[in-house]
Amino acid sequence: MDTAIAPCAGPATLHIRLPSRAQAARQARQAAASLMAEGDSACPCGIAEDIVLIVSELVTNAVLHADGPYALTVSLEQRRAGIAVSDGSADLSGHHGPAQRVGSGGRGLKIVRALGAELFVSRSGRGKHVIAVLTW
């Protein structure tokens, strides 16, 4: 990860629309890292890296398994981060057909949970939000 010491005192919020291409995850990581670089007090380097990894995993899952449009929202508060990725698919099942599985993938949400984030899925007007909440 590119992130070193990242401020995250909050509250601070980022909301961006993402392209429906492979560049979406990179753009999301860069935007999240930039958000954490703004602020007044530093959060632990490992937490900043975890937030960027969670952003990457959630955006990658959306692009691989759901229809667009895609958007990312990251909200930072004292000792808490909320990461929401919106997509255009109303499917809340979490099951993906074999044709959608790519290479050795399939571990994104397990990684997010292993980092200590709570996961939620909710319907939105045009699809759904996959939300991760990380506290430290």
Side-chain angles (χ1 to χ4, degrees), residues 44-126:
C45 177
I47 298 298
E49 291 173 350
D50 290 352
I51 291 168
V52 173
L53 180 55
I54 290 168
V55 164
S56 184
E57 293 297 333
L58 294 183
V59 171
T60 298
N61 280 351
V63 172
L64 288 176
H65 302 298
D67 298 325
Y70 308 101
L72 168 68
T73 302
V74 179
S75 296
L76 299 175
E77 298 177 14
Q78 186 97 13
R79 303 184 52 83
R80 179 182 302 160
I83 300 123
V85 175
S86 303
D87 63 52
S89 173
D91 180 13
L92 302 179
S93 70
H95 301 290
H96 309 294
Q100 294 175 317
R101 179 127 359 236
V102 177
S104 61
R107 292 181 290 277
L109 296 181
K110 290 179 184 176
I111 291 169
V112 172
R113 285 187 189 103
L115 293 171
E118 295 181 72
L119 282 170
F120 306 91
V121 180
S122 66
R123 291 191 193 280
S124 69
R126 294 186 284 175

